[in-house]
Amino acid sequence: MPFISENELERALVKAVENPAVAPEFYRLLLASDLLVMGTVEGQEEATEQFTLAPGGKVNLVTGTKDGGTFLPIFSSLLRMQEYARKECKYLSINGRALLELTRGAPIVLNPASEYGKELTPPQVDYLLDPAAAQNRVLPNIGEAEFPTVLAQTLTGVFATRPDVQAAWVMQLTIPERGETHQLVGIELDSSMGGDWPSLMQAIKTAADRSLPPEMVFDLQRVDRRNPTGLANTLLQFAPFYQRRGGPVLN
């Protein structure tokens, strides 16, 4: 059956699948929203009203199996849970951050039977819950490749101080014969605002040395929409991860 979003979280999930640049908003809502998980709390098996888990309370959750491993299925709505369970079952509604804290260390799968879902490994859950403690990890994209959130956040901090930066894009490049994978960042400058490319590259290098892990490799390319060269045409197929307000609109 077609996927029809039931709530704001699911709408954000669909947008993130279609446009990885907006994935951070999905992750924000994942932590802020109430999620469903199959299971019960000891002593509250027959509860029909909202209750607070007492300190030391025992939670019994239903897990699933995939490729010989165990995972915890969680759901963004009752319909998504019904698609998976296909029968009546006991379940709990828990704030997303609290649920991930409670089950920390377990692989998570959001909406495992639905068209739109997401797998989260324990390191990725750690990043979501405490980015400052895992700055060298990249927040996972909803699609196949991982969106380099740490890189994008670092560059956005630089761009915010530069009125000549109009927009920026990022894509992952893989060179099979060299066994290399790195990010390519395209940047559009406004020449009427100075457009000082050398000083921008120096500012980016300074920020990268301060905030990015040494193993994170990326290249820079200047983008001219009116005369795109190199891989600029490919970069322009993506939504920009940075857009200065009042700047030109992406065609």
Side-chain angles (χ1 to χ4, degrees):
M1 60 184 296
F3 188 99
I4 300 176
S5 299
E6 296 282 303
N7 49 47
E8 186 179 5
L9 174 60
E10 292 187 353
R11 286 189 287 274
L13 171 60
V14 172
K15 289 180 181 178
V17 170
E18 298 172 349
N19 178 10
V22 302
E25 174 63 9
F26 160 73
Y27 288 112
R28 183 189 70 79
L29 287 170
L30 183 70
L31 296 179
S33 304
D34 287 339
L35 303 175
L36 304 184
V37 59
M38 297 184 295
T40 59
V41 173
E42 192 172 85
Q44 298 283 355
E45 288 85 357
E46 304 304 320
T48 58
E49 297 181 356
Q50 184 174 352
F51 63 88
T52 301
L53 181 63
K58 184 177 181 180
V59 181
N60 300 305
L61 300 180
V62 177
T63 59
T65 57
K66 180 181 178 181
D67 300 329
T70 301
F71 70 92
L72 178 68
I74 64 175
F75 307 94
S76 53
S77 67
L78 182 59
L79 178 59
R80 306 307 157 210
M81 187 181 71
Q82 292 171 338
E83 290 172 346
Y84 176 79
R86 297 186 178 276
K87 62 180 180 180
E88 186 174 339
C89 62
K90 297 286 186 180
Y91 66 91
L92 303 169
S93 176
I94 306 176
N95 167 264
R97 177 176 288 278
L99 178 59
L100 294 185
E101 287 281 11
L102 179 68
T103 59
R104 204 161 186 164
I108 301 289
V109 179
L110 174 70
N111 301 339
S114 298
E115 179 182 357
Y116 292 90
K118 182 71 188 99
E119 296 185 15
L120 291 171
T121 64
Q124 290 169 346
V125 171
D126 287 343
Y127 182 98
L128 283 172
L129 294 174
D130 191 1
Q135 290 182 3
N136 62 329
R137 297 191 182 118
V138 176
L139 188 62
N141 176 24
I142 312 301
E144 292 298 322
E146 291 189 344
F147 181 72
T149 301
V150 175
L151 173 61
Q153 290 175 340
T154 298
L155 295 179
T156 295
V158 175
F159 300 156
T161 68
R162 302 275 309 206
D164 55 341
V165 176
Q166 292 301 306
W169 301 259
V170 63
M171 70 179 187
Q172 181 172 285
L173 288 178
T174 300
I175 307 175
E177 59 271 21
R178 298 182 188 174
E180 296 178 2
T181 297
H182 62 274
Q183 306 295 335
L184 175 66
V185 179
I187 304 173
E188 180 181 32
L189 293 184
D190 185 348
S191 57
S192 68
M193 301 292 291
D196 188 349
W197 184 254
S199 71
L200 175 61
M201 288 193 293
Q202 183 57 51
I204 289 174
K205 182 181 184 304
T206 299
D209 290 344
R210 181 178 62 247
S211 303
L212 298 179
E215 66 272 16
M216 180 170 286
V217 178
F218 64 96
D219 292 327
L220 302 175
Q221 174 164 331
R222 188 164 180 173
V223 174
D224 182 347
R225 299 184 203 227
R226 293 167 296 184
N227 183 30
T229 59
L231 289 169
N233 268 322
T234 305
L235 284 162
L236 287 168
Q237 303 306 308
F238 295 87
F241 70 85
Y242 175 83
Q243 180 81 60
R244 179 169 294 280
R245 291 185 180 181
V249 178
L250 182 66
N251 294 324

